[in-house]
Amino acid sequence: MADLLDLSLVEARAALDRGETSSVELTQVYIDAIERGAGLNAFITKTPEKALAMAEASDVRIAAGEAGAMEGLPIGIKDLFCTEGVLATAGSHILDGFKPTYESTVTANLWRNGAVMLGKLNMDEFAMGSANVTSYYGPVVNPWRAQDGGNAQLVPGGSSGGSATAVSGRLALAATGTDTGGSIRQPASFTGIVGLKPTYGRCSRWGVVAFASSLDQAGPLTRDVADAALMLGAMAGHDPKDSTSADLAVPDFSAALTGDIRGLRIGVPAEYRMDGMPGEIETLWQKGVQLMREAGAEIVDISLPHTKYALPTYYIIAPAEASSNLARYDGVRFGLRVDGDSLDEMYENTRAEGFGPEVQRRVMIGTYVLSAGYYDAYYVKAQKVRTLIRRDFDQAFETVDAILTPTAPSDAFAIGENEDDPIKMYLNDVFTVPASMAGLPGMSVPVGLSDRGLPLGLQVLAKPFDEATMLRVAGVLEQAADFDAVPAYLGGGT
Amino acid sequence: MSDLITGETGDWEVVIGLEIHAQVTTKAKLFSGAPTEFGAEPNTQVSLVDAALPGMLPVINKEVVRQAVRTGLGLGAKINLVSVFDRKNYFYPDLPQGYQISQYQQPIVGEGEVEVELEDGSEKSIGIERLHLEQDAGKSVHDLHPAKTYIDLNRSGVALMEIVSKPDMRSAAEAGAYVRKMRSILRYLGTCDGNMQEGSLRCDCNVSVRRPGEELGTRCEIKNVNSIRFVQQAIDYEARRQVEIVEEGGEIAQETRLFDPNRGETRSMRSKEDAHDYRYFPDPDLLPLEIEQSFVDALAADLPELPDAKKMRFVEQYGLAPHDADQIVEDRETAEFYESLAEGRDAKLAANWLLGELFAALNKSDNTLADSPISADGFGRLLDMISDGTISGRIAKDVFVEMFESGRDAEAIVEEKGLRQVSDTGAIEALVDGVLAENPDKIAEYKGGKDKLFGFFIGQVMKKSQGKANPALVNELMRTRLDG
C-alpha cells in the first residue's frame, strides 16, 4: 500500500478518476497510516468512521461522473476549524468538550468539493506558537531527524504543526492550516512541504476559532505546489458571513502553473539579510535567486525599509486582538468551567486553568497594549507602522511581480529548545510576519537541506489577490530545486 | 433663571447631559439575523453570533444603518459617511463576546440640535453631541435561584442608538422635555418605538451642580433610568444631594449611580476608581462602515414631516396657539387624528375638544389615543352637531361622555335622548313666558335695577328645556320680553 501513500493530491485525484483506486481504499490506507504514526501526535481527534462514510459517498459521485475538485481525497483539518459535531479544541484545555453545531465555511467548501475528513490536527494552543509545543494535547513530532548523530525529536514548527507533520509524514494527503504570522509557512519549511497563506480575505474566517482577526488566514499545507493550487481553489471564495472576506471570483489556480516565468521581475529585499542569520539560510536564498534567474526571471534588488519593525509591531497587534478575541472563553456558556466562590473567581479559575502559559502571556501583553495610557504608545503606533510596512510592499510591487525570501531563519529545532526564551521563539516568524502585516499572499516551497540534513524552504510573496503569479513562481522554483529528500518517518509503511 | 436651586449658602445651577439608548426598530439584531421581538421566552432569540460561539463573526445589518442615518437626519445632525465600530472590552456573563461592539471615536452621526418647548411656552435648543450604534447586552436574572444567576441572551446583540446630548439642560423639567421631544422624533421617524417600560428607550443622566457662571462641577452619571418621571425625580434628587455635599464642605466623587424608584433616590453603583478600562480598539472583524452621500440624500428626501415642521404648519394652517400645536404634534397618531378631525371643520373647536374632553377622558381611563372608543370620524360628527346648531356645547359634553362610555354614535345618542337643540321661536317663547309668569316678584326686582337677575331668568328657561333650548334665542327673546 506504500504506493498509494506516495501519490500527491493531484495524482490521487487522477487515479480515482481512472478507477485505479477508490476513495474508500485510499482513505483506509490513510486511516492505517494515522494509527502507525500515532507517536507523532499529529491528530487530536481522529474521525475514521466519518472519513469512510464520506469516502463511500465520494465513490458514488465518482462513479456517477459527478466528482468535485477534491473528490475522494482524505485530508486533515487543523483543530482551529469548527466542524459540525466533532470536538473542536484549538489545542486548548479551555474548549474541553466543545462540539460545534456548525461547519466552518472553509471546511464546508472542501466537503462540497468532495474532500474526505480524516480528523482534527494538533496545533499550538489558539495558534499561538512557532514549534507546536504549546498545545494542551502535547507537542507534535517532526517526521524529520537531523543527520547530526543525535536522535532528538524535532519540532514541526507551528502553529500548524500537526498539519505539517501529517502531510510530511504521510498521515494525510494534505491538510488545512491557518497562518497569522507564519503558522502555515514556517512549519512547511520545517517539514519539507509546501505551505500557502492566501491574501487576507481570500478564505473565509467564519467558523475558524479566532486568534488575531486582522491577520488570520486559512490555507493549504500540501506535498507540492500543484496540490496547493488545487486545494486553495477548493477552500477559497467570498463569504457574506465574513465582513472581511473579499468579494472576488476565485481564479483557476492550477491553470496558473504554466512553468514559465520568463520576463517576470522577482524582487530580493535587502532588509531580509539579517544580522546573525545562519550562512546556510543565505546560501539557500542565493540558490533560489540563481534558479529563478536561470529560469528566465529578472532579479531586482528591492528595499522594504520597515521590515525590522514588522516583528515587534506584530507582537503588539496580534496579542491585542487575541486578548479581546479570547474574552469569550469565560466558562459561562461552553467549554471548561472551574467554579469559584464568586463570579470573578470563576473567571480567574477557569482562565488560569484553561489557558496555557503562552496564551496567558499574549492575553496579558494584549491587554496591556490596549489599556488606558498605553494604547497610543503601543497599539496606535503599531497600526501606523503597519501602514508603512504595507506601503513598502506597495512600492516594491510597482516594480516587481513577486518577492523571494527565506521562509524561516533556521531549520527545525529540538522539542524543548527555545522554550525558555519567548523572544527567541518569536524570531522564527521574522520573515513571514511582514507579509502577514500587509495582508499579502505568501507560500513556502522546500528548496534544500540544511547542514544537518533538514529541509529548508524559500518564501514567495506576491501582490494582494495575485496568488496565481505566486503559484506560478513557486511551481518553477519547485521544479528547479528538485527537492526530493524524504523524512525519517514516511508513512511508517515498511 | 428660575431653575436655580436655592441652598443654604446661595443659588446653584444644575447642569444636565443625557445619553439616550434607543432600540432601533428592525426585525433583526445589529450584527446577526436573530429576531428582536419583546417578551419572547428566554434564550429563544439567540443566534450563534449573539452567543459568541468560537469562530462567529459579526455582519452589519443594513437596515440598522438606514435607521440610524434617518434618525441623524431627523435630528438635523451631521451624517458621517465613514464610521468605525470599536470593541468595548469588559467581562460580564450577559456579555458573551467579552466585549460590546460600539462606535467610539468615529460615530455614524455627529452634532445636531433638538428644539424643546418648556412649560412657560418658551423654546430652548439642546445640542446633540453624537449618535452611535452599539450592541445591547443580554440580561442577568439573579432572583430565580438563591445561589445562581440565569442568563437570557434574547437582548444580546440588539441594535441600540446611543444619542448623547451636550450638557445643555438646566433643570429636571428641561431634561423631561428633551426626552419627550426625542421620543416624539424617534416615533415619527419609526426608528425606535420609544417604549420606556419595555426598555426600548433608556436614559443615562449626567448631573453636576455649580454656582451660576462658574466652571462645571464634578458630574455623576445615573444609569438606566426608564421613565421620564424617573429621569426628573433622579435629577432633582441628585442635584439636591450634590448641593448638600458641596455646601457642607465636601467634594463630589465622580461615580456611576443608580436610581431607586421606590425610594426616589440615587445611590452609588461604582466609583471612578472601580471604573472599567474598556480598552477600546477598532473591531478587526468589521471594515469601516462607508455609506454614499446619495444614500443619505435619498433617505433625507423620504423623511416624514417631523414634529417641529408639523407644529409650524398647524399654527399657520389651523391658527392654533403654539402650545396647543405642541401638544397635538407630540404623538404622530394624535397629529393625524387631529388633522382628520379638523378637516373641513372649525380647527380651533377641534383642537379644544381634542385637548380638552378627549384627552381628559383618555387620561382618566388610563388609555391612549390608540385605545380611544371614539374615532376621529365619530368625534367629528359630534363637533358638526355643535357647529350646525343641532346641539349646544353644553349638551355636546354630555353626549361626549356617553359616546366615550358606550362607543355609540353622537347622532344615535342625540336622537334617542331627544337632545336636539330647540330653536323653534314659538316653543321658546312659551318657555320664557312660563318662567316670567312664575316669577312676578323677580321681574319687579329686575325692573327695579337688579340687572343680574337676567341670568337667573335665562337659567330657568334652560332648565325647563333640559338644556336643549338654543341659548342665543332664549337670550334674544328674554331680552325682548323684559326690556322691549
Side-chain angles (χ1 to χ4, degrees):
Chain A
M1 282 306 187
D3 53 339
L4 277 184
L5 286 180
D6 287 342
L7 299 179
S8 72
L9 206 57
V10 170
E11 289 163 351
R13 184 78 276 293
L16 287 169
D17 269 350
R18 288 194 299 265
E20 292 164 11
T21 184
S22 68
S23 177
V24 168
E25 184 186 24
L26 185 65
T27 299
Q28 188 61 53
V29 163
Y30 274 99
I31 290 169
D32 296 343
I34 291 168
E35 289 306 317
R36 288 195 300 276
L40 299 176
N41 199 27
F43 281 82
I44 291 173
T45 304
K46 291 169 256 185
T47 57
E49 289 91 3
K50 192 179 175 85
L52 288 170
M54 291 173 90
E56 274 179 42
S58 275
D59 284 333
V60 171
R61 282 194 294 271
I62 291 167
E66 295 164 357
M70 293 279 290
E71 197 70 60
L73 304 175
I75 60 171
I77 301 298
K78 186 178 185 180
D79 208 9
L80 203 60
F81 294 82
C82 290
T83 55
E84 193 180 341
V86 178
L87 186 70
T89 71
S92 181
H93 187 28
I94 208 156
L95 274 165
D96 266 13
F98 174 65
K99 286 186 181 175
T101 57
Y102 47 93
E103 187 77 39
S104 83
T105 300
V106 162
T107 49
N109 289 346
L110 285 165
W111 313 146
R112 201 182 56 249
N113 279 292
V116 169
M117 170 165 157
L118 290 168
K120 304 292 291 291
L121 293 160
N122 205 344
M123 53 178 286
D124 277 305
E125 185 178 6
F126 282 102
M128 297 176 188
S130 304
N132 215 125
V133 293
T134 70
S135 170
Y136 176 70
Y137 297 90
V140 177
V141 180
N142 192 328
W144 292 76
R145 286 284 195 278
Q147 309 295 309
D148 58 359
N151 195 28
Q153 289 194 328
L154 305 177
V155 302
S159 67
S160 310
S163 304
T165 281
V167 175
S168 171
R170 299 194 176 170
L171 278 59
L173 251 176
T176 63
T178 62
D179 189 316
T180 304
S183 280
I184 288 174
R185 292 161 287 166
Q186 183 255 17
S189 179
F190 274 24
T191 57
I193 62 170
V194 170
L196 187 157
K197 180 199 95 78
T199 314
Y200 183 79
R202 180 63 93 181
C203 288
S204 169
R205 294 184 297 113
W206 193 88
V208 184
V209 175
F211 162 14
S213 308
S214 74
L215 296 154
D216 296 344
Q217 257 302 287
L221 289 98
T222 56
R223 301 228 183 119
D224 59 33
V225 174
D227 285 5
L230 173 66
M231 186 157 162
L232 175 62
M235 295 169 70
H238 177 237
D239 180 4
K241 289 188 289 190
D242 174 0
S243 308
T244 62
S245 160
D247 193 0
L248 292 173
V250 179
D252 182 347
F253 294 122
S254 298
L257 302 175
T258 61
D260 181 2
I261 58 165
R262 283 174 298 171
L264 275 190
R265 294 165 65 86
I266 295 179
V268 177
E271 290 79 5
Y272 281 55
R273 194 158 287 119
M274 290 176 174
D275 288 344
M277 188 165 83
E280 60 188 9
I281 301 294
E282 172 68 30
T283 306
L284 182 86
W285 192 10
Q286 288 313 316
K287 177 185 166 188
V289 168
Q290 185 57 28
L291 293 175
M292 294 286 89
R293 191 179 284 125
E294 286 166 9
E298 184 187 339
I299 303 300
V300 182
D301 287 327
I302 58 167
S303 174
L304 300 167
H306 297 90
T307 297
K308 70 174 169 185
Y309 302 112
L311 198 69
T313 307
Y314 171 86
Y315 276 99
I316 290 167
I317 289 171
E321 293 180 8
S323 70
S324 177
N325 282 336
L326 269 56
R328 65 187 57 198
Y329 308 103
D330 58 3
V332 173
R333 297 171 317 286
F334 50 80
L336 184 72
R337 178 190 292 178
V338 183
D339 281 326
D341 287 336
S342 67
L343 174 65
D344 283 346
E345 224 181 271
M346 187 279 282
Y347 283 150
E348 286 165 11
N349 293 347
T350 301
R351 290 167 66 84
E353 199 166 306
F355 292 141
E358 182 59 30
V359 171
Q360 290 189 22
R361 177 174 13 249
R362 296 203 199 186
V363 167
M364 284 190 280
I365 290 171
T367 304
Y368 177 79
V369 299
L370 289 176
S371 57
Y374 299 99
Y375 179 77
D376 289 336
Y378 289 102
Y379 186 80
V380 171
K381 189 146 207 176
Q383 290 291 10
K384 288 178 182 165
V385 174
R386 187 175 186 180
T387 303
L388 296 176
I389 292 167
R390 200 177 287 134
R391 195 176 300 161
D392 281 356
F393 280 109
D394 286 347
Q395 284 167 358
F397 280 121
E398 283 172 15
T399 55
V400 300
D401 302 297
I403 293 171
L404 186 71
T405 78
T407 304
S410 75
D411 59 6
F413 46 86
I415 293 174
E417 235 179 289
N418 291 338
E419 277 185 57
D420 53 339
D421 184 354
I423 302 292
K424 211 170 158 195
M425 192 66 101
Y426 295 169
L427 279 170
N428 272 287
D429 297 330
V430 69
F431 297 132
T432 46
V433 151
S436 298
M437 296 293 276
L440 301 175
M443 70 188 290
S444 179
V445 178
V447 170
L449 292 175
S450 68
D451 298 341
R452 302 194 297 157
L454 294 173
L456 291 172
L458 288 180
Q459 175 179 236
V460 182
L461 305 176
K463 295 173 195 171
F465 299 104
D466 193 12
E467 288 89 354
T469 298
M470 178 176 79
L471 281 158
R472 186 170 143 207
V473 172
V476 171
L477 179 62
E478 175 185 57
Q479 206 172 14
D482 195 24
F483 180 85
D484 58 0
V486 292
Y489 181 93
L490 194 64
T494 48
Chain B
M1 296 297 275
S2 57
D3 290 328
L4 296 180
I5 295 175
T6 307
E8 299 285 323
T9 60
D11 285 346
W12 297 86
E13 184 181 44
V14 54
V15 176
I16 305 152
L18 297 180
E19 295 166 21
I20 291 179
H21 299 260
Q23 179 178 336
V24 182
T25 302
T26 57
K27 292 194 182 72
K29 295 183 179 180
L30 180 51
F31 296 112
S32 88
T36 58
E37 207 177 306
F38 177 79
E41 287 294 301
N43 295 311
T44 55
Q45 308 199 336
V46 187
S47 76
L48 298 168
V49 175
D50 308 324
L53 279 130
M56 291 301 104
L57 298 172
V59 176
I60 185 82
N61 175 347
K62 293 201 175 82
E63 175 63 13
V64 173
V65 176
R66 202 180 76 89
Q67 293 286 54
V69 171
R70 292 180 70 239
T71 306
L73 291 167
L75 299 176
K78 179 176 183 290
I79 306 299
N80 294 323
L81 297 181
V82 178
S83 60
V84 173
F85 286 100
D86 298 277
R87 292 185 183 178
K88 178 180 181 181
N89 295 283
Y90 65 96
F91 283 94
Y92 206 67
D94 59 24
L95 187 75
Q97 293 168 141
Y99 52 85
Q100 176 197 35
I101 306 178
S102 179
Q103 295 187 306
Y104 186 48
Q105 287 182 329
Q106 291 177 262
I108 187 165
V109 175
E111 292 185 324
E113 222 168 53
V114 166
E115 294 291 324
V116 299
E117 166 131 332
L118 304 177
E119 289 196 341
D120 64 1
S122 67
E123 288 207 338
K124 179 168 178 174
S125 176
I126 308 293
I128 303 292
E129 181 69 37
R130 57 185 281 166
L131 175 156
H132 68 254
L133 287 169
E134 63 183 26
Q135 296 176 302
D136 204 352
K139 199 167 77 179
S140 293
V141 186
H142 302 292
D143 53 5
L144 288 179
H145 188 279
K148 289 181 176 165
T149 294
Y150 288 83
I151 306 293
D152 177 5
L153 294 181
N154 280 356
R155 290 194 68 88
S156 168
V158 162
L160 302 179
M161 296 180 282
E162 180 171 330
I163 306 167
V164 183
S165 85
K166 299 195 180 230
D168 287 351
M169 286 155 275
R170 295 292 176 268
S171 70
E174 285 186 21
Y178 168 78
V179 178
R180 213 173 290 118
K181 185 60 176 284
M182 186 63 72
R183 185 175 61 180
S184 168
I185 293 171
L186 295 172
R187 283 176 168 168
Y188 265 74
L189 291 164
T191 57
C192 170
D193 67 23
N195 192 329
M196 296 188 83
Q197 276 169 346
E198 291 180 2
S200 304
L201 195 75
R202 314 192 290 267
C203 209
D204 296 346
C205 314
N206 286 291
V207 179
S208 63
V209 296
R210 65 175 173 189
R211 294 288 188 191
E214 290 188 0
E215 295 277 291
L216 287 172
T218 303
R219 70 189 162 89
C220 289
E221 181 180 21
I222 312 157
K223 281 273 183 199
N224 266 333
V225 189
N226 67 352
S227 86
I228 293 173
R229 194 159 57 91
F230 293 161
V231 164
Q232 302 192 168
Q233 284 177 5
I235 290 169
D236 275 335
Y237 176 88
E238 181 61 20
R240 258 181 246 115
R241 184 188 74 87
Q242 292 185 12
V243 166
E244 267 176 42
I245 291 175
V246 180
E247 290 199 327
E248 282 167 12
E251 276 192 23
I252 305 300
Q254 187 176 336
E255 62 182 357
T256 303
R257 299 178 70 83
L258 281 178
F259 178 67
D260 179 345
N262 297 319
R263 295 170 174 229
E265 61 186 34
T266 67
R267 57 166 183 271
S268 184
M269 186 176 149
R270 60 171 179 261
S271 72
K272 192 186 175 189
E273 288 70 37
D274 297 334
H276 297 292
D277 178 355
Y278 290 119
R279 292 170 281 123
Y280 282 101
F281 75 108
D283 191 329
D285 285 331
L286 292 160
L287 302 172
L289 177 61
E290 294 182 24
I291 52 177
E292 303 283 335
Q293 185 59 47
S294 58
F295 170 75
V296 178
D297 293 343
L299 292 180
D302 211 29
L303 283 190
E305 182 181 40
L306 292 173
D308 286 345
K310 204 179 278 285
K311 175 185 167 184
M312 276 179 50
R313 182 165 65 80
F314 281 13
V315 168
E316 281 173 20
Q317 185 177 338
Y318 300 118
L320 297 185
H323 182 69
D324 288 350
D326 221 49
Q327 284 184 276
I328 289 173
V329 302
E330 182 172 330
D331 279 320
R332 191 173 178 169
E333 291 71 23
T334 307
E336 279 165 9
F337 189 97
Y338 173 73
E339 286 218 81
S340 61
L341 188 63
E343 178 70 39
R345 298 194 176 93
D346 178 342
K348 279 190 181 169
L349 181 74
N352 290 341
W353 274 81
L354 174 64
L355 293 173
E357 302 305 313
L358 186 57
F359 271 27
L362 288 171
N363 277 339
K364 209 171 150 193
S365 62
D366 211 16
N367 276 316
T368 65
L369 193 58
D371 315 313
S372 171
I374 303 179
S375 68
D377 194 40
F379 200 20
R381 289 202 300 278
L382 174 66
L383 300 190
D384 290 341
M385 292 170 86
I386 302 172
S387 298
D388 68 13
T390 308
I391 54 173
S392 66
R394 235 307 275 119
I395 290 288
K397 292 192 178 180
D398 295 338
V399 175
F400 174 83
V401 171
E402 176 88 21
M403 286 171 77
F404 196 85
E405 279 168 9
S406 67
R408 293 171 65 208
D409 280 354
E411 293 92 334
I413 296 166
V414 168
E415 287 311 321
E416 183 190 294
K417 305 215 161 170
L419 297 176
R420 263 176 195 284
Q421 183 162 267
V422 177
S423 299
D424 176 65
T425 314
I428 294 176
E429 269 175 350
L431 289 172
V432 168
D433 291 343
V435 167
L436 293 176
E438 283 164 20
N439 295 287
D441 47 339
K442 292 267 184 340
I443 297 174
E445 280 178 49
Y446 178 78
K447 302 259 187 197
K450 209 166 176 190
D451 292 352
K452 280 181 184 169
L453 276 172
F454 188 77
F456 164 79
F457 293 120
I458 298 292
Q460 289 300 303
V461 174
M462 292 308 289
K463 202 171 166 187
K464 273 187 189 294
S465 77
Q466 289 162 312
K468 290 183 285 186
N470 182 325
L473 265 178
V474 174
N475 221 42
E476 187 190 322
L477 291 171
M478 186 64 77
R479 193 139 322 264
T480 316
R481 283 287 191 279
L482 285 174
D483 302 344

